[in-house]
Amino acid sequence: MRGLVLHEPRPHALLVQPVEQEEIVARKGLFDEVSAIAAAISVPLAVAFIAVKDWNQELSPWQAPAVFGKQDFGAGAGETLKSIEKILPALKRHYNLPENAPVVLGGYSLAALFSLWSAYESHSFAAIAAASPSVWFPSWLDYAKAHDPHAGAIYLSLGDREDKGRNPVMRTVSTCIKEQHALLQEAGIKTTLAWNPGNHFQQPEQRCAKGFIWCLEQLFSE
């Protein structure tokens, strides 16, 4: 898998975030995100940004018809999760993380839904940072009701104007995320639901940083 790793000496935790290839090339937004996390958290970190070539294919848990534009959603999340899990031991060895160092998976939009889905499918992640997750995804809540998450802490957030657009599917997102949050609470998961000002396209890096910061606070607060 291609990507970008930023790290401090002797990191104590590994953050993993799928991002679009263009973000890896541009880099500035990712640097700003990591700087915001490092400014708020004293724990030394390694942050691995994983490049996603086909967003709708590689991050979707199952096939679904297009909601925006003409590109349908694929079912590549399973392969993406396997690929991430496969490289975790190598990342820990290469960047001198302790073998039991916690791994936090997170992302934005469909990458946030992928991260949330991974919490139900995998035991590899201590916490999940799901910023503006696509919980409107067809059949998502049915899936969440039928499965138990394995991560100990899950952060959810949404913009307070994300449900104000014309798209009828997106207009359900606030209702969906409230239901998702309630499901996590019922499952006994340490969780929070944060509201950010603005629509879905505002300050994604800052919103991701807030999610990772919250997760790290839960993991290292004791």
Side-chain angles (χ1 to χ4, degrees):
M1 303 185 78
R2 295 184 177 182
L4 170 69
V5 178
L6 305 175
H7 66 97
E8 298 173 274
R10 299 187 179 276
H12 293 177
L14 173 63
L15 312 184
V16 178
Q17 181 178 341
V19 297
E20 293 183 295
Q21 287 191 115
E22 292 79 4
E23 294 179 79
I24 298 287
V25 174
R27 297 196 176 194
K28 183 183 183 305
L30 304 184
F31 289 163
D32 290 344
E33 180 180 330
V34 173
S35 295
I37 297 169
I41 297 292
S42 59
V43 176
L45 304 170
V47 185
F49 293 105
I50 306 299
V52 176
K53 186 175 182 179
D54 188 333
W55 194 254
N56 282 14
Q57 169 63 31
E58 295 178 47
L59 298 177
S60 301
W62 48 79
Q63 292 181 334
V67 172
F68 308 101
K70 297 180 180 180
Q71 185 182 5
D72 292 338
F73 296 99
E79 287 302 314
T80 301
L81 176 58
K82 287 180 184 177
S83 297
I84 290 175
E85 289 184 312
K86 187 175 180 179
I87 66 171
L88 289 180
L91 285 171
K92 285 187 173 183
R93 286 194 303 269
H94 187 77
Y95 295 101
N96 297 313
L97 283 111
E99 187 175 334
N100 63 347
V103 180
V104 183
L105 178 66
Y108 196 79
S109 193
L110 192 58
L113 183 77
F114 166 79
S115 301
L116 193 55
W117 173 81
S118 297
Y120 292 90
E121 294 290 320
S122 172
H123 292 268
S124 297
F125 309 107
I128 300 295
S132 292
S134 305
V135 286
W136 46 260
F137 197 85
S139 302
W140 169 254
L141 288 175
D142 292 334
Y143 168 87
K145 291 173 184 176
H147 295 79
D148 294 320
H150 304 298
I154 297 179
Y155 173 94
L156 302 173
S157 73
L158 200 70
D160 59 11
R161 296 193 60 80
E162 291 199 41
D163 62 355
K164 307 302 181 186
R166 296 180 179 180
N167 188 292
V169 177
M170 277 296 296
R171 290 182 69 87
T172 69
V173 67
S174 293
T175 300
C176 291
I177 204 163
K178 290 175 184 176
E179 187 167 352
Q180 174 67 70
H181 185 229
L183 289 172
L184 295 176
Q185 290 178 313
E186 291 169 9
I189 302 299
K190 188 180 295 185
T191 185
T192 190
L193 172 54
W195 293 91
N196 297 301
N199 61 34
H200 186 68
F201 303 100
Q202 293 180 257
Q203 300 185 318
E205 294 88 2
Q206 292 89 332
R207 293 182 185 184
C208 286
K210 288 172 62 177
F212 280 118
I213 290 167
W214 182 89
C215 289
L216 291 165
E217 289 174 343
Q218 310 314 306
L219 296 174
F220 292 97
S221 60
E222 297 181 0

